[in-house]
Amino acid sequence: MRILVVEDDDGVAAAVLDALRGRGHGAFRAATAAEVPALLPDAELVLLDLGLPDGDGFEVLRTIRKASQVPVLVITARSAERDVVTALHLGADDYLVKPVRLKELMARVDAVVRRARAHSADQVAEIGDLRVDLAARRVTVGAAELQLTGKEYDILAALARRPGVAVSRQELLLQVWGRADKSVSRSLDVHLAALRAKINRPGLLATVRGFGFRLGD
Ligand code: CA
């Protein structure tokens, strides 16, 4: 995992980077708040020291949260409970109070990584060899990526969020079009026919007679 370590103290930063790299992570450092925005897009996890020379760590956390949902583990010398609460309210995933014990830090990193992976797994639905990446809006069947129209994707995603569950026509229409009148109902049938042809897995996108549709068993 690519981990951004935001830490102004050279000694602490070196120890943390070493420990992370020793566990197979790709760790890199920002020594100041100003360096964070440029490095953020490469980060899959951020370790953020709240005490930085050029800016308030809370402000950095706000900036990160405006740009990204990347997990953030806050490290703070301020042991005051209200700072911890503020950090969590601002979207930190976890926190550690300095002085940091490396063993504990690595355990916390592992836990955040596990949660992040479990969360991203929720964002991908796999039904047979059909794979719907709900975060990236990408759909593959086997090795082939499907080129879907916006509506085709929206219909598929609505069903893929609940594989094996029958979704009523009405609910599907409301989710995709925001209304459920006759004209959009006809559109749904047209899009479904196109979608089934593109997926090309007979029976996978099933009609539940008199009710709606179901993706997978
Ligand atoms: Ca510091």
Side-chain angles (χ1 to χ4, degrees):
M1 182 160 273
R2 295 186 307 277
I3 303 179
L4 171 60
V5 178
V6 186
E7 171 63 72
D8 59 307
D9 184 301
D10 290 336
V12 173
V16 170
L17 289 170
D18 267 1
L20 291 170
R21 287 172 186 150
R23 295 172 81 90
H25 296 296
F28 52 110
R29 177 192 180 195
T32 61
E35 291 170 47
V36 172
L39 296 171
L40 188 61
D42 289 328
E44 294 173 286
L45 169 66
V46 178
L47 304 189
L48 174 63
D49 174 23
L50 287 179
L52 294 167
D54 62 329
D56 179 12
F58 292 137
E59 211 41 63
V60 177
L61 183 52
R62 272 191 205 98
T63 306
I64 291 173
R65 274 292 163 265
K66 272 183 204 150
S68 146
Q69 285 307 304
V70 66
V72 178
L73 203 164
V74 162
I75 299 171
T76 174
R78 320 163 181 187
S79 56
E81 191 175 41
R82 65 169 190 282
D83 287 343
V84 167
V85 171
T86 302
L88 294 174
H89 275 309
L90 289 175
D93 294 83
D94 200 358
Y95 69 92
L96 269 180
V97 173
K98 282 185 173 181
V100 166
R101 293 187 301 271
L102 281 177
K103 224 174 160 181
E104 184 181 4
L105 174 61
M106 294 306 123
R108 297 289 186 97
V109 166
D110 288 346
V112 172
V113 167
R114 263 200 310 279
R115 284 202 296 273
R117 292 213 168 121
H119 180 71
S120 72
D122 288 347
Q123 299 295 303
V124 177
E126 285 182 288
I127 306 103
D129 67 347
L130 169 69
R131 189 171 188 278
V132 184
D133 186 331
L134 295 164
R137 288 180 72 96
R138 290 180 65 180
V139 179
T140 51
V141 174
E145 180 161 358
L146 300 189
Q147 301 302 321
L148 301 182
T149 65
K151 281 284 182 277
E152 287 165 4
Y153 174 81
D154 291 342
I155 293 163
L156 182 62
L159 295 169
R161 286 195 183 92
R162 284 174 291 166
V165 174
V167 177
S168 74
R169 172 178 284 267
Q170 167 113 357
E171 185 183 345
L172 199 52
L173 290 170
L174 289 172
Q175 275 193 30
V176 174
W177 278 273
R179 58 200 174 94
D181 55 69
K182 255 194 184 138
S183 71
V184 290
S185 189
R186 271 196 301 275
S187 296
L188 174 61
D189 292 323
V190 173
H191 289 300
L192 273 170
L195 190 53
R196 282 179 168 134
K198 286 181 182 178
I199 295 172
N200 195 23
R201 292 287 180 272
L204 191 70
L205 204 174
T207 298
V208 181
R209 199 172 280 275
F211 183 76
F213 308 91
R214 187 186 63 232
L215 190 62
D217 298 322

